[in-house]
Amino acid sequence: MADNVRRSVVLRRRPGGEPRHDDFELVDDEVPTPQPGQVVTRTIWLSIDPYMRGRLWDRKSYAPPVQIGEPMTGETVGEVVASADPAFQPGDVVAGARGWQSHCVSRGTALTKLTRGDAPLSAYLGVLGMPGTTAYSGMKDIGQPKAGETVVVSAASGAVGSVAGQLAKRAGARVVGIAGGPDKCLWVQETLRFDDCVDHRVPHLREALADACPNGVDVYFENVGGAVQEAAFSLLNPFARVVMCGMVAQYNESEPPPGPNLGFVVGKRIRIEGMIVSDKPERFAEWRALASPWVSEGSLHYRETVIEGLENAPGALQLLLRGGNFGKMLVRVGPDHA
Amino acid sequence: MADNVRRSVVLRRRPGGEPRHDDFELVDDEVPTPQPGQVVTRTIWLSIDPYMRGRLWDRKSYAPPVQIGEPMTGETVGEVVASADPAFQPGDVVAGARGWQSHCVSRGTALTKLTRGDAPLSAYLGVLGMPGTTAYSGMKDIGQPKAGETVVVSAASGAVGSVAGQLAKRAGARVVGIAGGPDKCLWVQETLRFDDCVDHRVPHLREALADACPNGVDVYFENVGGAVQEAAFSLLNPFARVVMCGMVAQYNESEPPPGPNLGFVVGKRIRIEGMIVSDKPERFAEWRALASPWVSEGSLHYRETVIEGLENAPGALQLLLRGGNFGKMLVRVGPDHA
């Protein structure tokens, strides 16, 4: 591909269920020239996250849907190739540009300058980026785990869940993960050091989770929904907090199934609260400052699944929604150094 | 009935659905002599409340179930007839004694002395008592309505709902009630001065409620559950608060039906929180001090349904669970003055 070509993955039609490769198409045009205040970056890493499925439905949500013919949206880490913002120079590495694109145009004010060598660049899309901040804000603002409490985290090996659980461990809680398959469960227990991890594919999930939580559940960090939610809700203690972060199990459903009868919420004085990380923008810098030393010293663990090539971003999203990733899902769009 | 006979309504068997008269029986014994620290009261008013249905199931909840052969529990206002607590004298009028009984034995420390003439004695079981305090605590601690917001209150003519909505009006909110039948709706609009009231018996409840809430719903005070909950939840705005106070529509069900899919809680950052008034005991005195002048001056409105005679308490509970009351449900057990 010539240096002056920009490649974009644009939405061709809205998937009714699982997104497929041919719901998207590749469109090439010229790399734009930045207007005053703008910065053009060459994408190195593209983040693939569950929320992206929500942008494909034509319905009102906290963020507008992606329009047919538009490039998909998504966080990237990239290298500045042209800048009309005096704060940025070609060669600078930045996070914050958005798009399933080989090159992104952004306002400089939306970008965060990174220093090569502080942490692997991909970490700024995962453990130190939006997913890590989501876990931090969810635990700080809603979950508030205390020493001795039991915390359950679904999608425990994922980019958000792995951080949420490690934060609860640091708070002194007993932490139980829920993950899909023995490999993920083993990693959650051995590397993340959760106290236990339950495979959601076992035949009697509720019983298995009850065995792992002999004192009930005080905080449930929800990433999944469905049968996993049902099992966790059935074990909630009085005054439990539920961090409603996501329900990925149903993101491909146009008509989500019924949920739990909420009678128990009254008698047990449960607090169930939804969150979107961007509501508290100050948490991003707070979290980066707090967690960067932990990443450097190796005390905060994470894992990545890397898919090669922008053209495979739709497949990466499909795989993520099936739980086919292990840790943070990333697409490598370009080389680390040009 | 002789002066020294105590009559009690005791639980004979646990109802599987709607409680019936013959699930209870009348048992007479002698009025006890108070032990040191105890006070014996003659019951004037007995309060009948939805939570009582929960005490009839043999299952763990925030309070233990009533046992077979035991008197039913319930708040009363009564007159002291014998006291072994120096703080109380025969003739004193008190709230706080508990039991579906002609005479209750209590520790004096559990009682609140009332002054005849400050307010009708029955008001201490409704607008100034547990239901009023429930509305106050629910709005103060969870709902927190602001001027210009839309607040929806279900069971709007009831003992809790009528106060919850009037408090939201005082906070400057647009208040929409949901009640059963045209008489209740008329009273909610004309006397309580809610901005609108929707009859939950109309064929298209959701549409009717949507018409009454053109700007969506910011606070939902939940007393009912079922289809009423579904309608209110469908209209919640981002950052809405749901005060989960009760779900009376399902209290007779041994197997409650499925509830709402909770996906919307994430995207809209909804807070759904359960409450039991006794968790914040300080609210009782706070509310009595705040609301007593409003009751005296006639600016806080309430309504009562009075059933005559302790033996009709089971029927009063049955009627309450059917929505057959209008305002606070009370049983008159004895005369105001002996």
Side-chain angles (χ1 to χ4, degrees), chain B residues 180-194:
Chain B
D183 289 356
K184 291 179 181 176
C185 285
L186 190 69
W187 182 73
V188 165
Q189 285 192 259
E190 304 265 299
T191 302
L192 302 186
R193 300 280 179 189
F194 287 19

Side-chain angles (χ1 to χ4, degrees), chain B residues 92-164:
Chain B
D92 286 350
V93 182
V94 295
R98 298 178 59 78
W100 291 20
Q101 295 182 296
S102 65
H103 299 77
C104 296
V105 182
S106 323
R107 298 207 57 82
T109 49
L111 302 177
T112 303
K113 211 182 282 192
L114 307 176
T115 305
R116 283 191 195 271
D118 279 355
L121 291 182
S122 61
Y124 293 99
L125 296 178
V127 65
L128 295 175
M130 186 274 283
T133 310
T134 300
Y136 169 65
S137 179
M139 283 303 191
K140 184 182 176 81
D141 298 315
I142 303 173
Q144 301 169 355
K146 292 170 200 63
E149 287 191 328
T150 299
V151 175
V152 169
V153 178
S154 59
S157 67
V160 175
S162 58
V163 175

Side-chain angles (χ1 to χ4, degrees), chain B residues 198-208 227:
Chain B
V198 174
D199 186 344
H200 67 72
R201 296 171 187 165
V202 296
H204 301 287
L205 174 59
R206 197 213 162 268
E207 289 72 13

Side-chain angles (χ1 to χ4, degrees), chain A residues 61-62 222 229 233 239 244-247 250-251 256-276 278-279, chain B residues 61-62 222 229 233 239 244-247 250-251 256-276 278-279:
Chain A
S61 182
Y62 63 95
E222 172 65 295
Q229 180 180 89
F233 275 24
F239 302 101
M244 294 292 288
C245 177
M247 284 172 61
Q250 69 184 40
Y251 285 178
N261 183 288
L262 294 176
F264 75 101
V265 171
V266 180
K268 291 189 172 173
R269 296 83 120 193
I270 307 289
R271 180 180 173 195
I272 299 175
E273 188 163 346
M275 65 160 294
I276 300 291
S278 49
D279 289 332
Chain B
S61 181
Y62 62 96
E222 172 64 295
Q229 180 181 89
F233 275 25
F239 303 101
M244 294 292 287
C245 176
M247 284 173 60
Q250 69 183 41
Y251 285 179
N261 183 288
L262 294 177
F264 75 102
V265 170
V266 180
K268 291 190 172 173
R269 297 83 121 193
I270 305 289
R271 180 178 172 196
I272 298 176
E273 190 163 345
M275 64 162 294
I276 300 291
S278 47
D279 289 332

